[in-house]
Amino acid sequence: MSAERVATAVAQPNIALVKYWGKRDDRLILPHTDSLSMTLDVFPTTTTVRLAPAWVGDSATLNGASLTGEALRRISAFLALLRELAGRTEAAVVHTTNTVPTGAGLASSASGFAALAVAGAAAYGLDLDATALSRLARRGSGSACRSIHGGFVIWYADAGAGVTPDLRSYAEPLGEARLDPALVIASVDTGPKVASSRDAMRHTVDTSPLYRAWTDACRADAVDMRAALRRGDLDAVGEIAERNALGMHATMLAARPPVRYLSPATLAVLDAVEQLRCDGVSAYATMDAGPNVKVLCHRADAPVVAEAVRPAAPSAPVVIAGRGRGARLSTEAAP
Ligand code: PMV
């Protein structure tokens, strides 16, 4: 990094196979349950943070457009955490280039805050290890703490060790995972989502009579998922991931009023996935805070799976993703 205090980082989205849906602490972003994910090798986010005199104030662009309102407020609140940790007062000029469609349930906030944590920590002169970076990214967006790491990752709701709840919640790579699958991404709608995951999550915790059952199921799914990943058993991983995602959406649908991210096009993709299984192809679906579907399958089957889901998802090209790397510093600045 030059004396000018500028740093650039790249991060990729992650897709949860056991989901995080609901916080026990909104300010610190502490989840009710552990979650498990795979970091992808597609849709990188590149973020450059350049320090500026404090009187300038924080500013940010996303794909060249200036951010204002709530989006800028979230980034500025995150930068304030960095300033507090570093004992510095400078403002930051943030430039982000996102290649994932923002706000479409494809985890753009995960890659976004992971890249901002890594670039921001370097620009403010903080020397943080991956665990500390993961805790920090969590404060921007919960799922971002998992994109600090590559491959399969677990985010502990409470890892037990550490004096404060903040210190005890972070993500860590699942070194024991023995699987190298594909995730086929069927984007049925790349427009903005119906409700932010932040608001929808809080509403689900507050009003869904199924919420307690969801957290119980999630805890059991996390244990089963770890064992299935350790065995390298794609069918078990897929079955757990699909039932977990459907359980999360059922819990949201039971909220009052309901939160409905799934669309008729989502269900058409689910039909195609079920047909693939009837035809003997191991394929399993998962959906996040949006209508898009990610289909887990063996890498060798990915082209067949992509072909099968394409008619149900004509609005955007079907993308085949694999396991990707964690967030890292880069020498190429965001344009
Ligand atoms: O971290 P957020 O606020 O983007 O929430 C992510 C929630 C899900 O994507 C639906 C599930 C998950 O674990 O990633």
Side-chain angles (χ1 to χ4, degrees), residues 68-88:
T68 55
E70 177 59 15
L72 179 60
R73 196 204 57 75
R74 265 181 87 176
I75 289 173
S76 201
F78 188 78
L79 293 167
L81 285 175
L82 287 166
R83 286 189 278 267
E84 196 185 311
L85 275 175
R88 302 186 69 102

Side-chain angles (χ1 to χ4, degrees), residues 31 78 145 164 182 204 227 230 254 270 279 288 313 320 327:
F78 188 78
C145 74
T164 61
T204 307
R230 209 176 292 129
L270 293 184
D279 298 342
D288 293 290
I320 297 174

Side-chain angles (χ1 to χ4, degrees), residues 16 19-21 35 109 141-143 146 197-198 201 248 288-289:
K19 310 286 185 194
Y20 141 63
W21 196 254
S35 53
S109 67
S141 177
S143 57
R146 298 185 309 236
S197 55
R198 188 162 286 209
M201 234 181 245
M248 177 181 77
D288 293 290

Side-chain angles (χ1 to χ4, degrees), residues 49 54 73 96 252 258 302 329:
V49 176
R73 196 204 57 75
T96 295
M252 293 184 208
L329 286 169

Side-chain angles (χ1 to χ4, degrees), residues 94-139:
V94 178
H95 291 297
T96 295
T97 315
N98 224 348
T99 54
V100 58
T102 299
L106 281 175
S108 61
S109 67
S111 52
F113 277 101
L116 184 60
V118 172
Y124 279 102
L126 288 162
D127 184 18
L128 303 180
D129 65 15
T131 302
L133 284 168
S134 174
R135 280 192 204 103
L136 184 63
R138 190 198 80 222
R139 300 286 298 274

Side-chain angles (χ1 to χ4, degrees), residues 274-321:
E274 211 167 298
Q275 187 58 50
L276 278 163
R277 286 204 293 265
C278 289
D279 298 342
V281 179
S282 294
Y284 302 90
T286 184
M287 294 77 64
D288 293 290
N292 302 318
V293 186
K294 299 94 188 181
V295 186
L296 185 88
C297 61
H298 289 292
R299 292 185 78 86
D301 290 335
V304 171
V305 171
E307 205 50 50
V309 299
R310 192 164 288 126
S315 65
V318 173
V319 173
I320 297 174

